[in-house]
Amino acid sequence: MPKRAPATAAKKTNSKPDPRPARGPKATNATSAKIKALEAFHDAPSGAVLTSDQGVAIPHTDDSLKAGLRGPTLLDDFHLREKITHFDHERIPERVVHARGSAAHGVFQVYDSLEQYTSAGFLCDPRRETPVFVRFSTVVGSRGSADTARDVRGFATKFYTQEGNFDLVGNNMPVFFIQDGIKFPDLVHAVKPEPAHEMPQAASAHDSFWDFVSLVPETAHMVMWLMSDRAIPRSLRMMEGFGVHTFRLINAKGKSSFVKFHWKPLLGAHSLVWDEALTLMGKDPDFHRRDLWNAIESGAFPEWELGLQIIPAGDELKYDFDLLDATKLVPEELVPVQRVGKLTLNRNPQNFFAETEQVAFHVGNLVPGIGITNDPLFQARLFSYVDTQLTRLGGPNFAEIPINRPIAAVANHHQDGLQRTTINTGTANYHPNSLGGGCPFLADAKSGYAHFPEPVDGVKTRERSERFLDHFSQATLFLHSLSAVERQHLTDACRFELSKVTRKEVRARVLSLFREIDPKLAEDVSIAIGVAVPKSFPVPPSGTRASTHRGDNGGISVAPSLSLEHQPKTSIKTRKVAVLAADGFEDEHVIALQAALVAAGATAELVSPVLGMITGARGKKLEVDKTFKNAASVFYDAVFVPGGAENLDALRGNIDARLFVAEAFRHCKTLGAAGEGVALLAAADLADVKLATGSKELVDEQGVVTAGAGVKTHALVRLLIAALATHRHWERASG
Ligand code: HDE
């Protein structure tokens, strides 16, 4: 142990047959071109001699050049000066939002041609493999903040297509807080740590965020998502992704349809519970980053299917919500998601700074066949993404940084600027020119990017369309689509967050907002925060109007697709099981479980009081992976305790072992034990769950699977794997 999932890409679940042969990181032409392009910037091979930046060989780097053994350091020491100067300037400004990120390389391939809708080459040719770089992020926290904070997750994908880069810069939630980009600085100022004391870090649970929410009713829908389990994903590999805005697809004949982009994880979307997320912030702040890295290293490549909701141009005004309003989604129950292709992340970055930190996404990086709409949130983003890189990456030449370079050839009339690396030759840096033979030539109308010729006619105004002002119908739809457990988690999250708000008037105003979404929610939260639900909804300041009109959500009152309960729960691929064991463990229990887990694509780790080798009752020697001090149940999806009298003696007296089991139970995870191991579960005081007592007894209750010493191990393991596939056992009282 540990045993890893086999090094092949996971098979698709409910998807179309894969047109490609099963594949590891073997690359096609476009992918190798991108790999080669990056390799050109790799540093010297191993075995090289240390040099200065100028390539001068350096024989000594441990002592500075001094005037005498105990004398002052000399200015002549160019090596010292270069080394320290470079070090002094290692940090660049972190992203103002989405500072904490983790990324991976991969590939995308469409299943069937979508030429009916779009002329985008990478969506029309099923044989074409397009290299991608995907960066996941939290929004609020700084670069060093913890991964499991309650927050929206960024899900940004750079497609290096043959026609140039296309960036799909989305989130793991399908809607956004605000409708117009002009409010983005207000939103971000409100949610970031407060300016006086820079607290709290990576958290929305403070006065200024909720003050903003209470005064800006358009936040209502997104706040429901933020308080839901979606904001604490189990893994970056188990999140849905959304383009959020309505985009356009445009085919070769110039016909346009509206589209919403989705990423559907093949492992399903799953979440942590809040108490677990809190513990992880301390036990492993890199929990998500490590999980992504390890999965890719072990060959368990994360996969998503690209989903499209295509809305015919004629249906633009069909719904009583507006397609240009990013606080609204199009329920899948109204417009189904077509799964059209697959994204596989199969390669970790080689250098965090050069790739993950320096990657620059931009919503305006579009390719022919994909267009934008007049969504006022989208429009502001078109300006912001380039603007922000000018400071963060030090000038206008950030597209020349290796990770940002397209695989398509670049030829234009740009020149100069900080850190320019292209050596433009010739004199014709303008268009039109004859000195350069007219180069670069203009693309023909068919292959070049053309903006969709949408008619525009209006008066200049700072008003919002009436169609944007129903802020509550979809918030209510979301809330009412959750399972009872999810709704309880959401209520608890609201209680927690508002209990951290010091100003009672802010708490009260938020309750009045909640009442507009669902009066019961307002009451349920009110009970826990010492403030009554106000009788009236305050009139928000101008610019943030709400309508009293409630839409009918296209005729649906519940949208099952919004609930995590409806995610596929058939596979245990990449799930992690902790096997608690010490010397004297029952060999067969551990060996059989380990083999079954590995066969199903899961992992088992041996957790014991100390590192080193442990020996089973029948002589099997195994190496311990983790100890009770450096691991915790929150790192795992399930816990198993094998039999063996000596093993039990070592574990039962160990308070960390008992806590390990109790905590996994509290977090509604699968537990299993066999033979003497069952007594450890009994010692952990698992409420009223029935455990096996007789030697031939096999009990499966509330996700706790126990077997007497006389039960065949494979029968126990089968039940345990089935329980693990359901992920959580919410029937237990607390989550
Ligand atoms: Fe962003 N956003 N954003 N955003 N955003 C940035 O760009 C901005 C919005 C999203 O991994 C910044 O390079 C404005 C929606 C992701 O590098 C910045 C508005 C969605 C990432 C910026 C929005 C996003 C960013 C900060 C309102 C989901 C991380 C650093 C008009 C669809 C990308 C940077 C990465 C990053 C501005 C709203 C997603 C400042 C002005 C809506 C995933 O340019």
Side-chain angles (χ1 to χ4, degrees), residues 95-98 135 137 154-156 169-171 176 181 184 243-245 359 361 377 380-381 384-385 388-389 392:
R95 289 166 173 81
V96 56
V97 281
H98 298 269
R135 183 174 182 272
S137 47
F155 190 140
V169 196
N171 280 342
F176 202 64
F184 192 65
V244 177
H245 310 280
V359 66
F361 292 95
L377 193 70
R381 295 180 74 197
S384 178
Y385 287 73
T388 201
Q389 315 303 351
R392 194 172 73 82

Side-chain angles (χ1 to χ4, degrees), residues 49-106:
V49 163
L50 179 71
T51 73
S52 74
D53 278 353
Q54 310 310 316
V56 176
I58 305 288
H60 197 133
T61 191
D62 297 327
D63 296 286
S64 48
L65 188 68
K66 295 181 290 290
L69 281 180
R70 301 182 61 251
T73 301
L74 297 173
L75 203 54
D76 314 16
D77 192 347
F78 67 84
H79 174 53
L80 167 80
R81 280 186 285 114
E82 179 188 90
K83 189 172 174 180
I84 298 281
T85 305
H86 199 277
F87 166 76
D88 290 345
H89 299 273
E90 277 177 6
R91 288 293 158 269
I92 62 170
E94 66 174 31
R95 289 166 173 81
V96 56
V97 281
H98 298 269
R100 170 133 187 114
S102 307
H105 293 272

Side-chain angles (χ1 to χ4, degrees), residues 475-644:
T476 310
L477 177 70
F478 177 72
L479 187 68
H480 289 182
S481 301
L482 300 180
S483 67
V485 169
E486 286 174 291
R487 179 167 173 146
Q488 186 57 51
H489 289 173
L490 182 148
T491 307
D492 290 343
C494 294
R495 289 170 164 179
F496 170 83
E497 297 260 323
L498 289 173
S499 72
K500 296 267 198 169
V501 171
T502 61
R503 293 166 178 85
K504 284 193 179 159
E505 68 278 14
V506 173
R507 285 187 231 160
R509 265 204 316 268
V510 175
L511 289 180
S512 70
L513 184 83
F514 284 175
R515 200 191 39 199
E516 298 297 311
I517 301 169
D518 181 296
K520 172 100 174 43
L521 173 68
E523 283 304 331
D524 289 347
V525 177
S526 156
I527 295 165
I529 61 167
V531 172
V533 183
K535 296 261 174 307
S536 63
F537 184 61
V539 181
S542 65
T544 56
R545 281 190 304 138
S547 161
T548 49
H549 167 76
R550 295 285 184 274
D552 71 349
N553 289 320
I556 51 172
S557 53
V558 171
S561 60
L562 302 178
S563 161
L564 290 173
E565 272 314 285
H566 295 272
Q567 290 288 325
K569 293 196 177 67
T570 47
S571 161
I572 65 162
K573 273 195 186 114
T574 77
R575 293 277 162 175
K576 282 177 74 181
V577 179
V579 176
L580 311 192
D583 280 330
F585 63 86
E586 179 51 60
D587 307 41
E588 201 227 338
H589 291 161
V590 176
I591 294 162
L593 177 74
Q594 186 188 318
L597 288 176
V598 170
T603 329
E605 281 190 349
L606 205 55
V607 184
S608 203
V610 289
L611 289 181
M613 301 299 287
I614 54 172
T615 310
R618 278 158 241 286
K620 178 79 184 169
K621 287 196 184 310
L622 293 174
E623 176 145 19
V624 172
D625 297 298
K626 297 264 164 56
T627 72
F628 291 116
K629 294 296 180 199
N630 74 7
S633 79
V634 289
F635 295 177
Y636 301 95
D637 298 292
V639 178
F640 177 73
V641 189

